[in-house]
Amino acid sequence: MVAQPSARERLLDAAEHLAFTQGVAATPVDVILKQANVAPATLYAHFGNKEGLIVEALRRRLTRWDQDWQLEVDAATTAQEKLLAVFPALSRYRSGPATARWCAFLSVAAESPHPSQLLDEALRSDTELLIERLHELAVPVVGIGEAQGLAERLALILTGVLGMMLRAADPDKVIADGHATAKTIIEATAVSTTP
């Protein structure tokens, strides 16, 4: 017999399913509670309020994304493939249990022009992971001098891919196009740094 998810997990699942597909502001707490089949007191006991639930759902999401990305980095055989692994990781992540129309972090950031410190920290953690890992993976490909700039350009490409996924009929093609664009940028940067 399969154990039912805890009330906490059901709340996190409901937040992901509803708030990250329909928008945080457009998703009332009572809808989340109904989806999770829990009482209001349960939400407040575990998360304090709706924002606490959203922050924890973002943290859980980032952990899952980090794991999928690391699996793709570990599977890659060359330094350039490891740097480009963010794109196959995005495909892997999209095929998993997480639901969203695009990037939950970008979505919540767009809805939160003045986030609380707690929410701001959760949102920044996604950006920090992205830039830091891309920088780390770029060093063996282009050297320390060009790694930061390349990491920032690759993050920009990935963000564009995530945004285009909202509008494209074929998100997989968008990811493939982003991958190809990133590869071109990486190769051009590597050539420019070769003595």
Side-chain angles (χ1 to χ4, degrees):
M1 183 173 160
V2 177
Q4 291 295 323
S6 68
R8 184 179 193 281
E9 289 301 307
R10 292 196 314 272
L11 280 163
L12 289 167
D13 290 344
E16 282 209 37
H17 176 72
L18 297 166
F20 296 161
T21 57
Q22 299 174 20
V24 174
T27 306
V29 171
D30 61 327
V31 174
I32 294 171
L33 294 171
K34 183 176 180 181
Q35 173 90 17
N37 194 27
V38 299
T42 305
L43 182 143
Y44 301 120
H46 285 286
F47 303 106
N49 55 27
K50 180 182 176 184
E51 181 180 271
L53 172 62
I54 297 303
V55 166
E56 207 49 48
L58 287 170
R59 287 178 180 154
R60 182 177 78 162
R61 196 171 182 88
L62 185 61
T63 298
R64 289 177 175 170
W65 161 243
D66 183 21
Q67 291 167 347
D68 280 351
W69 188 5
Q70 190 60 54
L71 286 170
E72 292 296 335
V73 169
D74 293 344
T77 57
T78 69
Q80 182 173 309
E81 287 174 0
K82 289 180 184 301
L83 182 53
L84 288 166
V86 68
F87 295 98
L90 181 56
S91 293
R92 172 193 285 269
Y93 188 77
R94 286 186 66 248
S95 68
T99 56
R101 292 182 58 222
W102 62 314
C103 174
F105 288 85
L106 292 174
S107 179
V108 172
E111 286 190 75
S112 309
H114 306 290
S116 68
Q117 182 178 348
L118 190 64
L119 184 56
D120 185 56
E121 288 170 3
L123 294 171
R124 278 190 291 110
S125 65
D126 175 60
T127 305
E128 289 166 1
L129 172 66
L130 180 63
I131 298 295
E132 288 171 10
R133 181 167 294 156
L134 287 172
H135 176 267
E136 174 188 321
L137 295 170
V139 170
V141 179
V142 298
I144 192 74
E146 294 293 325
Q148 186 64 31
L150 180 57
E152 291 170 2
R153 289 189 295 276
L154 294 177
L156 185 62
I157 292 168
L158 183 65
T159 302
V161 166
L162 293 167
M164 283 304 296
M165 286 169 57
L166 280 171
R167 301 162 60 185
D170 185 359
D172 292 328
K173 182 181 182 314
V174 173
I175 295 170
D177 289 348
H179 187 278
T181 303
K183 184 175 182 185
T184 300
I185 297 293
I186 291 167
E187 289 172 353
T189 304
V191 166
S192 72
T193 60
T194 303

